[in-house]
């Protein structure tokens, strides 16, 4: 099942223009089976949207994005009280202190920290390694070849699975990048388990024309 693992809504993320009704409308119109909501250190929209989305048949996958000195990370967990303990900008969590039912993904690593304005440098990889379960290699806001290739190289070097997410801040960007998850997703716990079991595959963005051609293929053409 394909799931967009990185979406922001307003007002929980002030940088987003996707209001509650926009997300509900998008999920209804596109028959979205599951979608993650990953606001900056704020789970209030997760609490508000879980029920209305369930009513239209969409599973809401819970996460928060945190911005740190080492970059941005998304913590996925079914426990909203646990996720609420994280802040939009905060210290790097200590490896080994993360809840067993949570998974951490290093998002847009080469782009650095969005809110913390930290800068990526290659030596970060070994510091970050003990903390994370996966690397987001496709992010809808950072599709340049250097961002994608750096993230892919990190995942390979660290021996970790790869994910993708739109990082949508506008409704029309929802689903631009998705992660193929083996099997069905019936809950946040299923996504956490899939990440830890390496049962995830990043899906490159579809070209804007929607003809089914993948941007990744276009990059391949340019490289030849
Ligand atoms: Zn970010
Ligand atoms: Zn984000």
């Amino acid at each position: 099942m394909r799931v967009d693992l990185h979406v922001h809504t307003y007002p929980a993320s002030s940088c987003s223009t996707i209001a509650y009704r926009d997300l509900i409308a998008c999920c209804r119109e596109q028959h979205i089976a599951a979608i993650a909501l990953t606001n900056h250190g704020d789970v209030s929209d997760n609490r508000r949207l879980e029920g209305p989305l369930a009513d239209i048949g969409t599973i809401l996958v819970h996460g928060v994005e945190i911005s740190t000195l080492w970059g941005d990370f998304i913590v996925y967990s079914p426990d909203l009280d646990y996720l609420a303990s994280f802040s939009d900008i905060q210290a790097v969590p200590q490896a080994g202190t993360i809840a067993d039912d949570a998974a951490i993904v290093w998002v847009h690593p080469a782009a650095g920290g969005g809110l913390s304005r930290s800068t990526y440098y290659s030596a970060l990889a070994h510091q970050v390694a003990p903390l994370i379960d996966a690397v987001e290699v496709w992010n809808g806001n950072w599709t340049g070849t250097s961002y994608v290739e750096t993230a892919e190289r990190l995942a390979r070097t660290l021996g970790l699975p790869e994910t993708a997410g739109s990082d949508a801040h506008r409704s029309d960007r929802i689903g631009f990048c998705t992660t193929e998850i083996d099997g069905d997703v019936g809950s946040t716990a299923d996504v956490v388990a899939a990440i830890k079991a390496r049962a995830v595959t990043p899906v490159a963005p579809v070209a804007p024309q929607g003809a089914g051609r993948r941007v990744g293929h276009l990059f391949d053409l340019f490289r030849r």
Side-chain angles (χ1 to χ4, degrees):
M1 181 190 286
R2 283 186 186 183
V3 183
D4 187 340
L5 288 181
H6 193 162
V7 174
H8 295 275
T9 51
Y10 177 86
S13 289
S14 57
C15 48
S16 176
T17 60
I18 306 171
Y20 315 122
R21 66 183 72 83
D22 299 327
L23 188 67
I24 295 167
C26 177
C27 289
R28 183 190 288 119
E29 286 160 16
Q30 296 189 35
H31 306 288
I32 291 175
I35 189 168
L37 184 56
T38 56
N39 286 313
H40 298 286
D42 189 322
V43 296
S44 56
D45 284 356
N46 297 69
R47 296 188 197 278
R48 286 183 72 160
L49 278 159
E50 184 169 24
L53 286 173
D55 289 344
I56 60 165
T58 302
I59 304 286
L60 188 61
V61 175
H62 297 308
V64 288
E65 181 168 5
I66 61 173
S67 230
T68 77
L69 188 63
W70 291 352
D72 287 3
F73 302 90
I74 293 180
V75 186
Y76 299 94
S77 167
D79 183 346
L80 283 172
D81 291 335
Y82 175 67
L83 292 182
S85 69
F86 292 90
S87 304
D88 54 351
I89 304 171
Q90 65 159 68
V92 179
Q94 299 258 312
T97 65
I98 303 302
D100 288 342
D101 64 358
I104 297 199
V105 177
W106 191 5
V107 296
H108 54 70
L115 297 182
S116 56
R117 304 199 183 283
S118 64
T119 306
Y120 169 77
Y121 59 102
S122 58
L124 272 178
H126 299 292
Q127 290 169 273
V128 171
L131 180 66
I132 59 171
D133 300 291
V135 178
E136 181 193 70
V137 298
W138 279 101
N139 176 293
N141 297 326
W142 304 99
T143 54
T145 308
S146 65
Y147 295 107
V148 178
E149 290 186 345
T150 299
E152 287 175 338
R153 193 166 57 245
L154 280 170
R156 264 198 314 275
T157 303
L158 301 177
L160 291 171
E162 303 175 356
T163 67
S166 67
D167 203 356
H169 290 71
R170 291 185 351 226
S171 284
D172 62 355
R173 301 288 287 183
I174 292 171
F176 183 61
C177 299
T178 57
T179 299
E180 178 74 40
I181 295 177
D182 296 355
D184 285 339
V185 171
S187 66
T188 303
D190 288 346
V191 171
V192 170
I195 290 170
K196 294 191 171 192
R198 315 174 65 89
V200 289
T201 310
V203 181
V206 172
Q209 291 80 7
R213 256 174 113 186
R214 287 162 34 134
V215 173
H217 292 170
L218 297 178
F219 285 161
D220 291 340
L221 287 175
F222 291 142
R223 275 206 294 260
R224 266 177 212 139

